[in-house]
Amino acid sequence: MADKIQMKTPLVEMDGDEMTRIIWKMIKDILLTPYIDLKTEYYDLGLEHREATNDQVTIDSANATKKYGVAVKCATITPNADRVEEYHLKQMWKSPNGTIRALLDGTVFRTPIVVKGITPFIPTWTKPITIARHAYGDVYKNTEMVVEANSKAELVVTKADGSEVKELIHEFQTPGILQGLHNLDKSIESFARSCFNYALDLKQDLWFSTKDTISKKYDHRFKDIFSEIFEKEYKQKFESLGIEYFYTLIDDAVARVVRSNGGYIWACKNYDGDVMSDMVATAFGSLAMMTSVLVSPSGVYEYEAAHGTVQRHYYKHLKGEKTSTNSMATLFAWTGALRKRGELDQIPKLAEFANKLEQASIQTIEQGVMTGDLYALSSLENKQTVDTETFLQEINKRLVKLL
Ligand code: NAP
Ligand code: MG
C-alpha cells in the first residue's frame, strides 16, 4: 500500500512465548504492517533469548519503555521446575512481568472486552469494569506466627534513635495466630497517581474502597493519601472532563458494583484487588477477552493480554493440528499501544486506525465468527468456530471496509 500510516516514535515491542508468540506474528503480518509503517524497538522476551542474555533483555526492555513511554508485550513463560528442564535453563528466571513492574513502579489495570452475544453473569454490566490492584505489601509481604497459650503479643517499632513504641496486640490465654502487615506511603502515592492518570486517560470515574471504619490508621492512611493527592493535583482536571473520584467502604463498593452498569475504574488494595479482579473477570465471561495495561506514576504505559502463553494450544500447533486460539486480548494490547502512541505523537490517523481495528474485531464476533472459547459462551444463533488464523483474516475483511 502506498500510503501507509507513518509513525514518529517507536513502540517498545516485547515478543514472548508459545501460542501467543505465533499469534503475535500473525497479528503484525495480517492486520498491522499492511496498513502501518510499523516502527518498533524489538526486544525478544521469548524464554530462549532471556536465557541467552541472562534475562538482561527483560531489564533492557523495561528501560526502553521508560525512555519511549509506550510498550506492547506478548505473554511470556514464567519458568517453574518443568520449564527449567524443558528449556535447559541455567536458573529459574524471574517472572518478566514482575521485573518490568518493579522497574516501572506501576499499577496494573485490567479491562474486559465487551461484545454482544457474550452476556456477563451480571447482565446489567453493559460497560466494562476496570480493576486497578495495588501491587505492593499488605498480606503479600506479611509476617505470621502461631502463638501458644499464655503468651502476650505486642507491636514494637524501634525508631532511628533506638527508642521503642509498643502497642499491645493481644494477651493469648488460649492458642492462636498472629500476622504483621505493612505498606509504604510512597507506594500508595504511586498507586494513587497511576489510578488518577488512568481515569483521566479513559475519561471514566474512579472508585476507591478500603475498610477505613475498622482499620482507622492503616486503611485510613490509604484513604487520606488518595484524597490529598486528588485535591492537590487532580481535582480540576477531573472537573474539566466531567468525571468523578469517589471513595466508599469496600462492602458498599461491592454492592454498588453489582447494581451498576459498569463503565468505571475500581481501585482496590492488594488483597481486595486479587479477589475482585478474578470475580469481575469471571463474571464478564472469558480470560481470553481480558486486557491489561501497566501504568507507571510517571505516565509510562505497557499493554498486554491478561492470559498466559496458551501452552496447550501451542503443543497442538507444534503437532501440525489447527488451533482456535482467541487473539482478541493480544490484538487489543497492540491497538491500545498504537492509540496511545498516536495520542502522544499527535498522529490522529494512528489512533483512528487502532479504533477501527478494535471495531472490526468486535464486529467479527458480533456477526458470529469466533474462536472456540467464545463459541462455547456465545448466545448468538448463527455462530461458527474458526481457527486462529482465519479469525484474523475475517477481522481483516471487515477492517478493509471500515478503512
Ligand atoms: P493460559 O496461557 O492463560 O491458558 C490457560 C487456559 O485458558 C488455556 O489452556 C485455554 O483453555 C484458556 N485460554 C487462555 N487464553 C486463551 C486464548 N487466548 N484463547 C483460547 N483459550 C485461552 O495459562 P497457562 O496455560 O496456565 O500458562 C501458560 C504459560 O503462560 C505459563 O508458562 C505461565 O507462566 C504463562 N503466563 C504468562 C502470563 C503473562 O505473560 N502475562 C500470564 C499468565 C501465565 P483450553 O486449554 O481449555 O482451551
Ligand atoms: Mg488471583
Side-chain angles (χ1 to χ4, degrees):
M1 214 185 270
D3 51 350
K4 284 191 190 181
I5 300 168
Q6 296 297 313
M7 293 175 65
K8 287 180 194 155
T9 315
L11 277 179
V12 177
E13 176 182 354
M14 305 172 177
D15 207 345
D17 288 300
E18 300 194 312
M19 200 59 210
T20 41
R21 188 181 180 97
I22 308 288
I23 287 176
W24 195 258
K25 183 165 186 315
M26 284 182 183
I27 289 175
K28 285 169 66 180
D29 290 348
I30 299 170
L31 293 170
L32 301 178
T33 52
Y35 306 103
I36 304 172
D37 199 3
L38 194 65
K39 242 193 195 178
T40 73
E41 195 164 293
Y42 181 83
Y43 292 87
D44 185 359
L45 267 56
L47 188 49
E48 278 151 11
H49 193 61
R50 275 183 276 152
E51 165 79 3
T53 61
N54 293 326
D55 210 23
Q56 185 61 38
V57 65
T58 307
I59 295 165
D60 292 345
S61 73
N63 286 329
T65 306
K66 278 188 191 167
K67 176 176 165 195
Y68 292 114
V70 187
V72 55
K73 180 181 171 291
C74 180
T76 46
I77 292 169
T78 298
N80 55 15
D82 291 346
R83 300 299 199 160
V84 170
E85 206 169 302
E86 185 184 353
Y87 286 83
H88 309 291
L89 302 180
K90 286 176 263 192
Q91 67 178 77
M92 205 182 280
W93 304 111
K94 282 192 236 159
S95 148
N97 289 56
T99 302
I100 295 165
R101 197 182 305 146
L103 286 166
L104 299 182
D105 184 25
T107 299
V108 174
F109 296 84
R110 296 204 153 171
T111 310
I113 303 162
V114 176
V115 293
K116 277 190 217 99
I118 315 275
T119 310
F121 287 93
I122 297 181
T124 47
W125 286 359
T126 51
K127 287 175 277 182
I129 296 169
T130 298
I131 297 268
R133 171 184 170 189
H134 186 211
Y136 179 83
D138 302 350
V139 73
Y140 300 87
K141 281 225 186 282
N142 70 352
T143 312
E144 307 185 313
M145 279 186 206
V146 175
V147 182
E148 290 170 19
N150 305 312
S151 313
K152 179 164 113 180
E154 290 172 301
L155 269 183
V156 182
V157 175
T158 312
K159 296 195 193 173
D161 66 6
S163 65
E164 287 184 349
V165 187
K166 270 193 201 172
E167 185 110 25
L168 176 70
I169 298 173
H170 193 67
E171 305 254 12
F172 285 83
Q173 258 96 53
T174 57
I177 42 181
L178 184 67
Q179 184 176 57
L181 309 182
H182 81 277
N183 221 301
L184 301 172
D185 285 2
K186 74 171 168 42
S187 175
I188 303 167
E189 286 161 11
S190 289
F191 176 47
R193 288 201 176 87
S194 295
C195 290
F196 290 130
N197 285 339
Y198 200 57
L200 291 174
D201 227 46
L202 293 195
K203 300 179 185 63
Q204 286 184 357
D205 291 348
L206 176 69
W207 299 12
F208 180 45
S209 54
T210 73
K211 193 71 180 173
D212 69 288
T213 46
I214 299 298
S215 173
K216 289 189 165 64
K217 292 207 173 105
Y218 197 105
D219 278 19
H220 211 283
R221 187 91 192 115
F222 279 82
K223 180 183 177 182
D224 284 346
I225 288 175
F226 266 71
S227 163
E228 280 160 27
I229 292 180
F230 179 70
E231 292 296 324
K232 256 192 231 142
E233 301 171 30
Y234 290 95
K235 195 172 183 193
Q236 279 168 1
K237 292 179 198 162
F238 269 56
E239 277 171 5
S240 70
L241 285 181
I243 58 173
E244 248 183 44
Y245 168 59
F246 170 64
Y247 176 86
T248 187
L249 284 171
I250 179 85
D251 36 358
D252 178 50
V254 168
R256 285 173 189 261
V257 164
V258 169
R259 288 196 307 262
S260 78
N261 298 318
Y264 50 85
I265 300 161
W266 181 14
C268 293
K269 287 178 61 199
N270 210 347
Y271 174 82
D272 299 340
D274 186 357
V275 177
M276 291 307 156
S277 68
D278 275 5
M279 192 269 287
V280 169
T282 306
F284 270 106
S286 169
L287 188 60
M289 297 290 273
M290 189 58 75
T291 64
S292 183
V293 56
L294 176 71
V295 181
S296 83
S298 62
V300 163
Y301 296 76
E302 183 243 314
Y303 294 84
E304 63 174 326
H307 60 77
T309 60
V310 212
Q311 181 181 16
R312 208 181 61 82
H313 295 210
Y314 180 60
Y315 288 164
K316 267 178 78 179
H317 170 85
L318 287 182
K319 281 194 262 172
E321 292 171 34
K322 284 264 183 222
T323 57
S324 186
T325 314
N326 189 336
S327 48
M328 285 293 278
T330 304
L331 178 58
F332 273 60
W334 274 102
T335 52
L338 289 168
R339 180 167 44 239
K340 178 51 75 183
R341 205 59 275 168
E343 286 166 14
L344 293 175
D345 292 346
Q346 297 176 336
I347 313 170
K349 271 191 171 171
L350 191 58
E352 211 174 283
F353 174 82
N355 290 340
K356 290 197 169 147
L357 181 48
E358 288 182 359
Q359 212 183 320
S361 63
I362 288 171
Q363 260 181 23
T364 307
I365 296 172
E366 293 187 343
Q367 289 169 3
V369 180
M370 60 195 81
T371 46
D373 56 312
L374 294 187
Y375 185 88
L377 296 171
S378 175
S379 60
L380 295 181
E381 301 219 327
N382 292 310
K383 54 178 179 177
Q384 51 165 316
T385 305
V386 290
D387 64 64
T388 308
E389 183 171 350
T390 307
F391 180 66
L392 294 170
Q393 302 286 9
E394 287 289 325
I395 293 175
N396 190 41
K397 281 187 199 162
R398 290 162 180 84
L399 177 63
V400 169
K401 284 187 198 148
L402 288 173
L403 293 172

